[in-house]
Amino acid sequence: MEKNNEIMNLIDSYENRISMVEGLITAVYHSAVIFKESLDKFSGERETLKNSLQETLAKSCSLRKKDFNFLIEKILADSEREKKEIEEEQKQVGEGLEEYLKEQKRLATSLRENLTRVIQGEKDGESLEQIINEIKATYQNKGEKIFGLLRSFQLHLETFQKGQKEINHKLQQLVDRGESLKIKDLRAIEAAKSRQERESERELRREEVKHLLSHFKQERLDRDVMEGSEKFIGRR
């Protein structure tokens, strides 16, 4: 009885992990809603700022509208590209998590059913061992990849939103200068944006290191669950 309870607890632990994946799927779809809302907010603010800047530079520097549009588009060129990249990443992560979840549920059901048969003496431990090996392979081949994509997506999304907020902040600073605003001030934003991108890349690398450390810790926990199952099989 004690052995049976032990392996049941291990399966419960595995099924809790499945619940975690379900939570991640919900979080991904929730992030899509938040992303759209924040993007709409930034876009609305930016249009107002662009109009104010264009009017100010037209008065103070006689800058033609088409020349202003050329300058501002250089500053904002990466935003639309990054937006499309994030939307594509979001789609890939959502689909990948759903596929992984479906596979994990199938394996968990099969593991529990076969365990019951082993306990009842209808099967030997080989069937359990095969399923455990399949679980390991699924995690190594699909799980690690999809969780890596998820973390990459989260970091990309955070960096993008931070960058959009920073651009709007700099545009607002230019608007606040009023008639003292010069064309060179607008051009200076592009240089500042490059520095911000380099800083964002460094921050991403720091976050990736933290993620790797967390990932290694989770791998150890997963191995403990799988090894516990294998020891149980070996004792039967």
Side-chain angles (χ1 to χ4, degrees), residues 106-124:
R106 181 187 69 79
L107 290 171
T109 300
S110 180
L111 182 61
R112 188 176 284 276
E113 289 175 352
N114 278 274
L115 172 64
T116 301
R117 292 179 181 178
V118 170
I119 291 173
Q120 293 173 349
E122 298 176 6
K123 278 191 173 185
D124 57 29

Side-chain angles (χ1 to χ4, degrees), residues 53 56-63 68 71 75 173-189:
L53 284 173
T56 300
L57 288 171
K59 292 177 181 178
S60 63
C61 303
S62 300
L63 183 66
F68 171 81
L71 289 173
I75 295 171
Q173 287 180 320
L174 294 185
V175 169
D176 292 342
R177 294 191 61 172
E179 294 182 358
S180 65
L181 181 66
K182 304 297 181 185
I183 296 175
K184 67 178 182 180
D185 298 324
L186 188 60
R187 291 195 175 110
I189 288 186

Side-chain angles (χ1 to χ4, degrees), residues 89-102:
E89 283 181 39
Q90 197 166 44
K91 179 181 177 183
Q92 290 178 358
V93 169
E95 291 175 351
L97 279 171
E98 287 182 347
E99 181 183 347
Y100 181 66
L101 176 63
K102 187 184 298 183

Side-chain angles (χ1 to χ4, degrees), residues 26-37 90 153 157 161:
T26 301
V28 168
Y29 286 116
H30 181 65
S31 70
V33 176
I34 299 299
F35 174 60
K36 185 179 184 307
E37 290 176 351
Q90 197 166 44
F153 162 71
L157 179 59
Q161 291 175 321

Side-chain angles (χ1 to χ4, degrees), residues 133-145:
N133 288 334
E134 190 175 356
I135 289 172
K136 285 182 177 180
T138 301
Y139 179 72
Q140 290 171 351
N141 296 333
K142 296 181 181 178
E144 291 182 358
K145 180 180 178 181

Side-chain angles (χ1 to χ4, degrees), residues 40-84:
D40 289 344
K41 177 185 176 183
F42 288 135
S43 297
E45 291 175 351
R46 189 164 299 166
E47 281 303 311
T48 301
L49 292 168
K50 283 167 59 179
N51 290 336
S52 297
L53 284 173
Q54 194 274 320
E55 291 174 5
T56 300
L57 288 171
K59 292 177 181 178
S60 63
C61 303
S62 300
L63 183 66
R64 295 179 302 178
K65 186 173 183 179
K66 70 174 186 178
D67 294 328
F68 171 81
N69 288 338
F70 175 77
L71 289 173
I72 202 72
E73 283 173 10
K74 286 181 66 178
I75 295 171
L76 305 177
D78 292 337
S79 295
E80 187 62 28
R81 175 184 57 79
E82 287 189 51
K83 172 178 171 286
K84 291 179 180 178

